[in-house]
Amino acid sequence: MVAIVYQTDKRSGITYAYESISHWDKEKKQSRARRTLIGRVDKITGEIVPTDGRNRKKKDEKLASDDEPKSPSIAHRSFFGATFLLDKIGEKIGVTKDLKQCFPDTYKQVLSIVYYLILEESAPLYRFDKWGTLHKHPHGKHISSQRTSDLFSSITEEDKQMFFSLQGKRRCEDEFWAYDTTSLSSYSETLRQVQYGYNKEHDRLPQ
């Protein structure tokens, strides 16, 4: 299993990021981890800045060989295998670029929520906080349930059509869109999302 481990040096206050790859040690019959220094974490942006680890050679070698480093530090582990794959898919099919064009200020939050819904399937959104602390995702910060609701409500029909239009231009001639036209009727008098349209069941209710 691949994960990113963050360790903060209490003396310097610098946080370093390591790639941690777990493997099974046949001789010791236990799980071990190999760690490779990626870089230092920028305190302002939270991004990982690549570094060669100069002046930290002995310490880094020790961290790379020991599963539990003895040096005084604060460790934090993040899983990134699945989200890294989604990052690459989004880049390849243009989803990330199109979302950024449609929602320049919130596209990273949208991507993080989408990743969560894909990887956790039917899990409720209020559990995003725990998931977000364990996984590396585009937004990289906590998104409250209320913030998620506000974000969804801020997306207009025009925004959706703009995104679909941008995505449509990327599709080849032999590709097609498949839509689920199932209608779900509602007796609610408070939901703003429901409206009258074509009802396949011929119910006199909004969908």
Side-chain angles (χ1 to χ4, degrees):
M1 181 177 293
V2 181
I4 293 181
V5 176
Y6 298 92
Q7 291 191 323
T8 302
D9 189 316
K10 291 184 177 180
R11 290 171 295 182
S12 64
I14 299 175
T15 299
Y16 293 90
Y18 295 83
E19 180 185 69
S20 177
I21 302 178
S22 301
H23 68 282
W24 182 256
D25 190 321
K26 294 182 179 180
E27 295 182 358
K28 297 184 178 181
K29 296 182 179 181
Q30 58 179 294
S31 178
R32 309 287 287 178
R34 297 190 184 94
R35 294 181 182 176
T36 304
L37 176 65
I38 301 175
R40 57 193 298 172
V41 180
D42 189 290
K43 292 183 178 180
I44 299 177
T45 64
E47 296 181 352
I48 299 175
V49 181
T51 179
D52 57 6
R54 291 177 180 175
N55 300 325
R56 303 182 72 257
K57 183 176 181 181
K58 293 183 179 179
K59 185 175 181 180
D60 289 341
E61 288 178 349
K62 183 178 181 180
L63 290 175
S65 60
D66 296 340
D67 287 344
E68 298 180 1
K70 303 300 187 297
S71 58
S73 59
I74 301 174
H76 172 70
R77 183 176 67 174
S78 293
F79 298 103
F80 74 103
T83 55
F84 177 78
L85 175 62
L86 292 176
D87 283 341
K88 293 304 178 182
I89 293 175
E91 292 173 5
K92 184 175 182 179
I93 65 178
V95 167
T96 303
K97 186 175 182 179
D98 291 345
L99 281 175
K100 184 176 182 179
Q101 183 172 340
C102 297
F103 313 101
D105 298 326
T106 59
Y107 78 98
K108 288 187 177 181
Q109 296 180 45
V110 173
L111 282 172
S112 292
I113 294 173
V114 170
Y115 286 11
Y116 170 74
L117 294 175
I118 291 175
L119 299 177
E120 297 300 320
E121 297 184 358
S122 58
L125 283 170
Y126 67 79
R127 293 183 180 176
F128 178 91
D129 186 19
K130 181 178 180 180
W131 180 88
T133 59
L134 297 175
H135 294 77
K136 184 174 177 61
H137 55 93
H139 184 53
K141 301 177 182 178
H142 170 57
I143 303 176
S144 66
S145 180
Q146 180 59 48
R147 174 55 188 153
T148 300
S149 299
D150 294 340
L151 183 61
F152 286 164
S153 62
S154 68
I155 298 176
T156 65
E157 190 64 31
E158 289 73 17
D159 294 331
K160 298 176 187 177
Q161 292 304 321
M162 180 180 178
F163 173 75
F164 290 141
S165 177
L166 292 172
Q167 277 288 289
K169 293 178 181 179
R170 297 179 182 275
R171 304 282 77 83
C172 300
E173 293 182 359
D174 58 347
E175 293 186 3
F176 59 89
W177 289 92
Y179 293 94
D180 180 2
T181 59
T182 303
S183 60
L184 300 175
S185 301
S186 173
Y187 286 92
S188 175
E189 297 180 357
T190 59
L191 290 176
R192 293 180 299 174
Q193 292 87 346
V194 297
Q195 55 186 326
Y196 285 96
Y198 176 71
N199 191 313
K200 291 184 177 181
E201 289 75 28
H202 304 292
D203 296 328
R204 295 180 178 275
L205 295 169
Q207 297 83 48

